[in-house]
Amino acid sequence: MKKMPLLKEHILLVGILTFCINIDDARSLDGHYTPPNVARLTDLFHHQPLNQAFLTFFGGSNIHFVNNGSYVQLNLNKTSGSGLISLNKYNYGFFSAAIKLPQGYSSGVVVAFYMSNADLFPHNHDEIDFELLGHENGKEWLLQTNIYGNGKTNIGREEKFRFWFDPTKEFHQYSIIWNSHHTVFLVDNIPVREVENNEVMSTIYPSKPMSVYATIWDGSEWATNGGKNPVNYKYEPFVASFGEMEMEGCVWVSARSVPSCSKGGQEGPSAVDPVEGENFIKLSQQQKMGMDWARNRFMIYSYCKDPGRFPVLPPECKTK
Ligand SMILES: *[C@@H]1O[C@H](CO)[C@@H](O)[C@H](O)[C@H]1NC(C)=O
Ligand SMILES: *[C@@H]1O[C@H](CO)[C@@H](O)[C@H](O)[C@H]1NC(C)=O
């Protein structure tokens, strides 16, 4: 009888310890996370010179190429943000940029690396977004991913994540796998989100040729705390750096009588073909474990878990 409370305490203690270990196993003693090992897909492709593969999208005087055009600094000041648009349009492929975000105060600032068919198919909009959202002083930047297909821009499919590193200190890789099988968002090669092109997604899956964009702009109206923290231009200019640009896949050639794809000199599908290659058409067990690691620890919002916004959740949410 006397032993019972002890036993209970023991069980409680073991429980607490297990809980702490679970929380702590990703962090080393100095508070840094140790990300899981995953295949380094970004190592498979060459870096494109930004000053050759892109054109000015807006804010030309706030665009500064550095390192002979292999990197670019995109500035946002009171006059303008700035952005680049890829010379080519792509219909599936692998798209990646190393990005370093503005340091210091960044409320309301949005840095975006995304794909869109905006001008090519009006009212038939496809878009795949990485949006990096500035935050109040002392707080972290947030990562938002979103996807639109077939003009259905009335429903945003946002997910938000905290970072497991300081995205303003060094460059980190933000990558998109986009093919007929799935769309995957990766950060430092760790998948954070997979959107499969399955029965429920097929009518809203992005499938039209898209341009690649790198931008910085004023998102005062919504980006930080739903717009409560606008951009403060006392801290301008806000500077985002992009480099290590990879855009590999089907280049859309609309000048042909039947528009089609040209895959950079490749004869046929290979293991490193982001459109058909085995490394790209489904996630490996290791990548799935990496994705679980990222989502379990760092995802703070998913539209699939927002019944306030969607009294009836979109159909793909039920299959998760
Ligand atoms: C913003 O930057 C541009 C380009 O460097 C410059 O011409 C302009 O004067 C700047 N605007 C402000 C308000 O500083
Ligand atoms: C700069 O880029 C151009 C075009 O890609 C290339 O021909 C040239 O060799 C580069 N210069 C240096 C110093 O890397």
Side-chain angles (χ1 to χ4, degrees):
M1 288 294 278
K2 258 196 144 185
K3 285 214 157 139
M4 281 298 281
L6 251 182
L7 193 61
K8 266 190 196 156
E9 276 163 27
H10 180 71
I11 289 169
L12 189 64
L13 189 64
V14 170
I16 289 170
L17 278 176
T18 312
F19 180 71
C20 292
I21 289 166
N22 278 341
I23 295 282
D24 271 358
D25 64 1
R27 272 185 200 259
S28 64
L29 290 175
D30 59 0
H32 287 97
Y33 289 96
T34 310
N37 283 322
V38 285
R40 294 192 48 83
L41 299 179
T42 50
D43 287 352
L44 299 175
F45 306 109
H46 74 281
H47 299 160
Q48 307 220 14
L50 281 142
N51 58 351
Q52 289 171 35
F54 285 84
L55 301 168
T56 297
F57 179 41
F58 67 99
S61 58
N62 271 337
I63 298 173
H64 305 293
F65 291 104
V66 292
N67 284 5
N68 200 25
S70 57
Y71 284 81
V72 69
Q73 290 174 348
L74 300 180
N75 288 17
L76 163 67
N77 68 6
K78 192 152 192 172
T79 310
S80 177
S82 54
L84 297 173
I85 176 172
S86 62
L87 212 54
N88 291 322
K89 293 183 174 65
Y90 299 84
N91 202 2
Y92 297 147
F94 182 78
F95 307 90
S96 186
I99 305 173
K100 190 162 83 167
L101 297 174
Q103 298 201 341
Y105 190 92
S106 61
S107 286
V109 177
V110 179
V111 175
F113 176 56
Y114 67 102
M115 308 194 59
S116 167
N117 71 355
D119 301 313
L120 198 58
F121 294 90
H123 312 298
N124 208 345
H125 194 67
D126 281 1
E127 194 176 308
I128 301 172
D129 300 324
F130 269 116
E131 289 171 322
L132 306 150
L133 310 178
H135 231 70
E136 310 105 286
N137 239 355
K139 293 208 182 161
E140 301 163 45
W141 282 75
L142 296 179
L143 171 80
Q144 175 164 288
T145 63
N146 200 2
I147 187 163
Y148 294 110
N150 248 344
K152 304 282 192 305
T153 50
N154 54 330
I155 297 186
R157 292 181 156 77
E158 295 90 353
E159 290 190 343
K160 279 189 193 178
F161 301 79
R162 291 187 296 115
F163 283 99
W164 53 90
F165 49 80
D166 179 347
T168 70
K169 283 254 161 67
E170 278 154 15
F171 284 91
H172 290 270
Q173 281 152 325
Y174 301 82
S175 315
I176 294 166
I177 297 171
W178 173 49
N179 58 35
S180 67
H181 305 274
H182 59 183
T183 298
V184 186
F185 296 87
L186 309 98
V187 176
D188 287 342
N189 289 295
I190 300 168
V192 299
R193 177 177 187 182
E194 180 185 30
V195 179
E196 286 178 83
N197 186 9
N198 52 24
E199 315 80 66
V200 291
M201 280 304 289
S202 61
T203 58
I204 45 171
Y205 190 79
S207 54
K208 291 179 278 298
M210 295 201 275
S211 308
V212 180
Y213 298 80
T215 59
I216 185 168
W217 40 279
D218 184 327
S220 286
E221 275 155 39
W222 64 276
T224 308
N225 287 341
K228 282 189 215 120
N229 302 83
V231 175
N232 184 341
Y233 284 102
K234 199 171 92 187
Y235 301 100
E236 72 170 21
F238 303 95
V239 183
S241 300
F242 284 73
E244 297 171 34
M245 182 63 69
E246 300 174 2
M247 300 186 286
E248 204 75 37
C250 284
V251 175
W252 185 246
V253 187
S254 57
R256 295 184 187 164
S257 53
V258 179
S260 65
C261 254
S262 122
K263 281 190 278 177
Q266 291 235 18
E267 279 299 311
S270 77
V272 293
D273 183 336
V275 178
E276 306 289 351
E278 62 197 34
N279 287 335
F280 296 89
I281 60 178
K282 65 179 185 146
L283 296 179
S284 68
Q285 211 49 42
Q286 188 196 43
Q287 286 172 316
K288 282 185 186 158
M289 282 166 61
M291 187 161 71
D292 287 345
W293 178 86
R295 294 176 72 81
N296 290 338
R297 285 181 173 77
F298 303 102
M299 190 167 78
I300 55 168
Y301 175 83
S302 171
Y303 73 104
C304 277
K305 293 175 180 157
D306 192 350
R309 193 170 148 213
F310 298 106
V312 178
L313 287 175
E316 72 276 12
C317 295
K318 298 188 186 82
T319 66
K320 281 185 183 156

